[in-house]
Structures are given as C-alpha cells and as structure tokens.
Amino acid sequence: MEPQFGDRIRLGVLTGEITPEVVDEVLELTGRAERRRRLLPARAVVYFVLALCLFSSSDSTGPPGYRVVRRTLTEKLRHLPGGLVQRLPTSSALTRARQRLGDKPFQALFERRCGAQATPTTPGAFAFGLRLVAWDGTALDVPDTPENAAAFGFTGRDGTNKSGNPQVRLMALIECGTHAIIDAAFDSIARFSEHKLARRLLASLRPGMLLLADRNFAGHELWGLVEATGCHLAWRIKKNLVLPPLWVLPDGSYVSVMPTPAEGQRLGNARFHGRTPARLPHGHLVRIIDYTVTVRSQDESAQVEKFRLATSLLDHRQAPARQLSQLYHQRWGATRSRTRLSELPDRRIDLMSTA
C-alpha cells in the first residue's frame, strides 16, 4: 500500500522526543485509533498539532496558519522520486481532522511526557542538594468563537474587555536547568487567578525540591500549602511588607515571621498607634534576604533595583544569602519571562545590611 501523507511526516525535533510508537499507544488508549485508512490519519494530526505549537512563535506578527505549518512539514516531500507529487490536505480538511481527534490524546500525551528530567550532573538543575523548580503564569489567546468566549472570557477586571481574543490563563511548574514541564493547569482568565491555578499544581511538589516564584505569589495561605508538601521555597516578596527581624544571621539575612492575615492587621494597628506588640505574631517562620541588583549599560550608566527574598531555608550555612540571591534569578531563564533588569548579563548583586 502506498504510504499516506501522515506516514511521511518526520519532524525530527518532535519524533526524537515523541516517537510514533508513543503516539500510537496514546491514540489506542483514548479510543482514537483508526479503523480505516484516511488521507489524514490520527498520528499525522497529532504531529501537525504539535508542529502548530512548535512554530507558534516563529513569526512576531502572530502564530503561523495551517498553510505555513503544512508547508514547513512537507517542504522536502512535495515532489517525491519517480515524479510522484504528494497530495496535501486543505485547511478545512485539517480542521475537520482536529475536531475528529479531539483533545483527549493530547492530555494523555502530556501526562505521559511531563515530569522532571534533570540528573545530578545537569547544569543549573540543583542547589543545596535540592531540585530547582519554578512556577509562573501567562495568558494565551484562543480562537474568537462564542464557545471560547463563554468558557474562558476576556481580559479586564470583569472579563468583558472584548478588544482582543478570548484568553486562557496558564500556570506551569517548570524544572530549572532543563525547562521540562513538570505540571500545568489552565482555565478562564476572567475567573481564575494565578493563585487559584497554583493550587492545582501542589500535588506535583515534592520533598527535595526548592520552588522559586515571583512576588505575586507570596502570601500566608499559599506559602503554608507549599510548605505542607515538604518542598522548600525561595520567593520574591514585596518590599513594602513589614517583617521585623527576630534575629540577624552572619550573612546579613534575618529570621522573621510571615504573619497570618489577622495577625498582619493586628500588627498594623499596633504600629499605627505606636504600640510595641507584646508577643510574637502567629505565622510562618521565614528567612529574609534584602539585596540590590546593579546593572551597568554600555555607556557606563548604572541602574539599581532592590529585591527581597523570603525562604524556608533558615540555615545560612546550608544556603548562604549571596548564593540564594543569585539563584533566584535563574527563574527568569527557566520560565522565559519578559526581559527584566535582573536578568541582564552585566549585573552585580549586593546584599543589604540589616540593622
């Protein structure tokens, strides 16, 4: 039998990681394996959708369409030896094939392939004997259909800003050093904050991990939920939080308490009236590291940004403040976030002394 279109697709970067055998197993598991031959077999559609994702950022003006991706996949196959011209499916045929396939195979494929991949020798994957992981959120456009608008909503406080496409909010837990996705969750951008989606990732946190996160996540409740998994934390927190030192450590960091919301209100009232609290607040014991990042540009001008980290690693000998502050900035590379002052190469980190 003459090989069909899908049998000839071989996108090395995909098939090297996700073999046709794995795809066939997933299709069989989800009941999507063909009972008859098609111009677009299910295996080909799986690789086509993966290619759409792979090439989604190849054009700065927007993700490529079906025609562009199809052309990329079959560029060397259009004119086969012996004068045979490969017949390509239309965009409408690809759309129907995607609808026929559904989302279950991709969910099963993700569950099979996700997870930590680093070994102890992987550069940038471990520190202080702990596996480095990071989580962060982003927003993704989805097709502007009534179904997507109803399910996911739009940006804006009330989710009704319809100037663009409907969007989903995506939260990913990523392994530093390999960029492997350990787990992910997504839902309506109008109804789910990053904090809510982060709770769906808690089951993937383990003892022996060190979770890096930005200042949008710091809070008493979420911090406690992560600590309960046995995972350690090193999170950036807002500089305006009042966290008085209980004792100062030799490396300039200090131990404090992240208070409960009720305790935070009580302490704020005490400060407002000039009273000194009579007891230690209830909350999580944390270690605070204050430091600055100085970046020099080509014209020798300097920019300085202040940072504050909170960590569950209380022993300064196990995790020195300078190493922790340098370590935190790996998360920008791990999550591939926007360029920030702190990720520029010509930078200097200075720890701030605590009186």
Side-chain angles (χ1 to χ4, degrees):
M1 181 181 295
E2 179 65 26
Q4 300 296 304
F5 172 77
D7 298 325
R8 295 184 179 276
I9 290 182
R10 288 297 180 268
L11 191 61
V13 69
L14 289 176
T15 57
E17 290 292 328
I18 303 173
T19 65
E21 291 75 19
V22 169
V23 173
D24 290 344
E25 290 175 12
V26 165
L27 292 171
E28 188 68 36
L29 177 67
T30 55
R32 294 298 189 270
E34 270 93 10
R35 299 293 177 259
R36 63 185 179 87
R37 296 290 290 177
R38 294 179 180 272
L39 174 63
L40 276 171
R43 182 201 290 177
V45 181
V46 169
Y47 281 117
F48 176 73
V49 174
L50 294 177
L52 287 174
C53 300
L54 182 66
F55 301 138
S56 63
S57 60
S58 61
D59 186 348
S60 60
T61 62
Y66 282 9
R67 185 181 299 274
V68 174
V69 174
R70 186 184 64 207
R71 184 183 301 119
T72 303
L73 285 174
T74 61
E75 182 177 2
K76 296 181 179 179
L77 304 177
R78 281 206 218 124
H79 297 280
L80 301 176
L84 178 62
V85 178
Q86 184 71 19
R87 184 162 64 97
L88 300 179
T90 63
S91 294
S92 59
L94 287 164
T95 298
R96 291 192 298 271
R98 288 188 67 182
Q99 293 171 342
R100 187 168 58 245
L101 183 65
D103 63 338
K104 297 300 182 184
F106 298 99
Q107 181 178 344
L109 188 60
F110 174 78
E111 291 172 353
R112 178 168 295 204
R113 294 294 298 152
C114 68
Q117 297 181 8
T119 68
T121 59
T122 302
F126 291 86
F128 318 123
L130 301 170
R131 183 183 300 272
L132 299 179
V133 298
W135 66 17
D136 206 354
T138 189
L140 300 175
D141 288 342
V142 295
D144 190 1
T145 65
E147 294 79 10
N148 282 339
F152 302 117
F154 297 82
T155 56
R157 288 186 177 180
D158 57 358
T160 59
N161 178 11
K162 298 183 179 180
S163 59
N165 281 34
Q167 290 187 319
V168 298
R169 191 183 304 279
L170 171 69
M171 272 287 297
L173 177 64
I174 300 172
E175 182 181 51
C176 300
T178 64
H179 294 180
I181 297 178
I182 298 173
D183 201 356
F186 70 91
D187 217 308
S188 165
I189 194 170
R191 297 186 294 273
F192 284 82
S193 66
E194 291 183 346
H195 274 238
K196 288 184 178 179
L197 290 181
R199 284 161 171 74
R200 298 186 186 179
L201 304 179
L202 291 172
S204 296
L205 297 175
R206 300 282 186 274
M209 288 182 173
L210 174 58
L211 176 64
L212 311 177
D214 69 22
R215 56 189 170 186
N216 293 325
F217 293 97
H220 178 273
E221 182 180 3
L222 189 56
W223 184 282
L225 291 174
V226 173
E227 268 198 320
T229 69
C231 176
H232 279 290
L233 306 84
W235 293 6
R236 186 181 180 187
I237 61 175
K238 296 178 180 179
K239 298 183 289 292
N240 60 357
L241 293 179
V242 180
L243 297 169
L246 299 181
W247 62 87
V248 180
L249 299 171
D251 63 357
S253 61
Y254 62 91
V255 176
S256 185
V257 173
M258 181 183 293
T260 65
E263 285 287 84
Q265 184 175 8
R266 183 183 69 83
L267 293 173
N269 290 334
R271 286 191 299 270
F272 180 78
H273 292 96
R275 299 194 301 265
T276 301
R279 58 175 174 80
L280 290 178
H282 300 297
H284 305 300
L285 204 62
V286 295
R287 180 167 155 232
I288 304 299
I289 303 170
D290 289 311
Y291 62 99
T292 63
V293 175
T294 303
V295 178
R296 295 196 176 277
S297 59
Q298 292 182 347
D299 62 1
E300 294 301 319
S301 61
Q303 294 176 277
V304 179
E305 184 176 351
K306 293 182 179 180
F307 283 79
R308 171 177 282 186
L309 290 186
T311 181
S312 59
L313 296 170
L314 304 181
D315 188 346
H316 69 281
R317 293 162 298 189
Q318 175 195 2
R322 181 170 295 280
Q323 288 179 241
L324 268 170
S325 60
Q326 292 171 339
L327 181 68
Y328 170 75
H329 298 287
Q330 286 193 31
R331 70 169 297 276
W332 298 120
T335 57
R336 301 183 184 183
S337 299
R338 298 182 301 274
T339 300
R340 303 290 182 94
L341 175 65
S342 55
E343 75 174 316
L344 297 176
D346 187 12
R347 67 172 186 260
R348 187 183 74 237
I349 294 177
D350 296 309
L351 300 177
M352 299 172 65
S353 59
T354 302

